[in-house]
Amino acid sequence: MTTDLETRAAAARPGALRRAAPALLGYAAVRALGLVVLALWSEARGKSAYTLLTARWDSLWYTRVAELGYGYEVRLPNGDVHSNLAFFPLLPWLERLAAAVSPLSYADGGFVVSLLASLAAAWGIFAVADHLYGPRAGVCAVLLWAVLPVGIVQSMAYSESLFTALAAWALYAVLTGRWVTAGLLAGLAGLTRPVGLAVVAAVWAAGAAAFLRERAGSSFVGDGSAVPAGGARGDGHAGPLPDAPRTGAPYGAPQRPHSPGVRLRRAVGMLLAPLGAAGYVLWVGARTGGGPLGYLEVQAGWRNGFDGGYAFARFVAGRFTSFPSALAGVALIAGVALVMWLYVLCVRRRQPLPLLVYAGTVTALALCASSYFGSKPRLLMPAFPLLLPLALALARARTRLLAAGLGGAAAASAAYGAFWLNGSGPP
């Protein structure tokens, strides 16, 4: 019987890194281009690119937590209270660790953590896409994530890259039956951002589905993998790319999905998954005296909430009050329609249940939040499974056309990122 330790070792063997190397090199090139363009643009405007990346907006809140701990708040003239309890602790902990073991400042530590986490996220996205569709689709998925219009956030001292890395590897662990690993990573994701609940939901959905399939007496290939697609190749070599996901972990040996050991590890993983988010939320409630709902009160001080998208719909409708802003309204509607269309494609292409649950939850939380409407593209960035249908389509294109298209997208993303950070930037 294959153990969690053995399969983790198999996933980490040198061959896995060699397989992911084209994706990681391409990702690094795109991010380097974005940083160079940002540096040149900022220099022309008399600003510091490094300050934009490490010492503005949410980055300042994270470094204050790392340096001074929790308890800092800002009271605005309108009565709102912005408390640093709204920011989950994993990134500040890592910033504090980096400052403790090196000469780096807290802000420097946040930048280094973000850079390393973005590479880990790219590798995790590749691992998921490669597992389902093969290495060429994996490279395309990583590059699509890199060239997102707000991709520059992946290089900022923000928590998006760290969260995406934890989420991607947690999903990969679920797909390949590494339940304890999935639970641990989901727990860490829950200490990173409120949307960590999406990773918990994915682990629980996959676990519940596995239990139900066992009770029904049907096989559950890979203990979390997709149902086999007819005729799909599972060896990662040349052959037609499947529309539906294939099965089989490329880096590990198959497991016996119904053995008592697997059931126990699955239960342990499901129990571990919510501990990070639940622990922090309950701690905030105890600290504020608000009980289990104390964290929601903290978010209310930032005017953050979940209203099903009503406030966002009103914001979009408000763009149509004049002609110039109406163009922005049309763009917002088109963007939301694109996101929904991609999710429908994910469902029609029979993505595995944990990916659908994760992407659906991230999308719902991003689009249905009641404040900070300009942040929605950034909040959607961790929903990388939405990119897999596009990655599969691009993987079928000629290499020359693929390189030209992604190269143009990388240049546009770099220019937009530089313009964005030198303007309003992330709220």
Side-chain angles (χ1 to χ4, degrees):
M1 182 186 302
T2 303
T3 66
D4 250 7
L5 181 60
E6 291 169 339
T7 50
R8 282 198 300 271
R13 68 189 183 187
L17 180 57
R18 287 198 299 270
R19 189 178 180 92
L24 297 179
L25 290 173
Y27 177 80
V30 172
R31 290 274 42 86
L33 174 63
L35 292 175
V36 169
V37 173
L38 175 64
L40 295 175
W41 197 303
S42 302
E43 181 67 22
R45 292 179 59 87
K47 296 184 178 181
S48 167
Y50 192 68
T51 298
L52 295 176
L53 293 170
T54 64
R56 291 195 67 189
W57 306 293
D58 290 2
S59 299
L60 290 174
W61 288 90
Y62 283 119
T63 55
R64 285 193 184 105
V65 173
E67 181 178 6
L68 303 173
Y70 285 104
Y72 176 81
E73 62 183 27
V74 175
R75 294 185 177 272
L76 303 184
N78 65 356
D80 290 345
V81 178
H82 289 184
S83 169
N84 64 0
L85 289 169
F87 296 88
F88 277 53
L90 186 57
L91 178 58
W93 287 347
L94 294 175
E95 290 178 342
R96 186 178 298 173
L97 176 63
V101 301
S102 73
L104 298 176
S105 68
Y106 296 113
D108 296 337
F111 182 65
V112 171
V113 168
S114 181
L115 290 183
L116 296 177
S118 67
L119 288 171
W123 192 356
I125 293 170
F126 172 83
V128 170
D130 178 30
H131 176 71
L132 297 176
Y133 303 113
R136 188 174 174 88
V139 172
C140 291
V142 169
L143 294 179
L144 282 172
W145 190 67
V147 302
L148 289 174
V150 293
I152 190 63
V153 175
Q154 297 163 17
S155 300
M156 296 179 67
Y158 270 44
S159 60
E160 273 80 5
S161 291
L162 179 60
F163 174 77
T164 305
L166 293 167
W169 283 108
L171 291 171
Y172 178 75
V174 169
L175 292 175
T176 55
R178 300 170 173 89
W179 290 100
V180 175
T181 301
L184 289 171
L185 292 172
L188 291 173
L191 286 170
T192 308
R193 297 183 63 81
V195 76
L197 294 174
V199 189
V200 177
V203 174
W204 278 28
F211 281 121
L212 291 175
R213 287 175 184 267
E214 287 179 1
R215 288 178 63 88
S218 62
S219 63
F220 195 47
V221 179
D223 200 33
S225 301
V227 176
R233 294 184 65 109
D235 55 9
H237 296 294
L241 289 165
D243 283 327
R246 67 188 187 188
T247 62
Y251 309 138
Q255 299 187 47
R256 292 167 53 193
H258 304 318
S259 67
V262 170
R263 295 192 190 99
L264 177 60
R265 290 195 296 275
R266 184 193 307 138
V268 171
M270 293 176 70
L271 289 173
L272 290 172
L275 294 184
Y280 182 69
V281 167
L282 292 175
W283 179 81
V284 170
R287 183 182 176 101
T288 61
L293 301 181
Y295 183 76
L296 297 181
E297 295 174 3
V298 169
Q299 286 285 8
W302 287 80
R303 293 188 179 269
N304 279 333
F306 187 88
D307 63 0
Y310 175 72
F312 184 43
R314 290 189 58 186
F315 174 78
V316 174
R319 302 305 94 192
F320 290 93
T321 56
S322 62
F323 172 70
S325 64
L327 297 178
V330 172
L332 287 170
I333 292 174
V336 172
L338 174 62
V339 169
M340 302 309 297
W341 175 68
L342 289 175
Y343 189 76
V344 170
L345 281 183
C346 292
V347 175
R348 293 181 62 184
R349 297 286 171 85
R350 294 181 290 168
Q351 275 190 14
L353 177 64
L355 268 64
L356 293 175
V357 170
Y358 168 75
T361 305
V362 172
T363 301
L365 291 175
L367 294 182
C368 297
S370 59
S371 186
Y372 294 104
F373 307 114
S375 296
K376 294 192 182 297
R378 173 170 66 87
L379 299 178
L380 283 167
M381 192 169 62
F384 69 89
L386 296 178
L387 301 174
L388 296 184
L390 295 178
L392 185 58
L394 288 176
R396 296 191 176 101
R398 294 178 181 271
T399 301
R400 184 177 300 176
L401 293 177
L402 180 63
L406 289 174
S413 174
Y416 178 77
F419 167 78
W420 186 47
L421 288 196
N422 279 277
S424 60

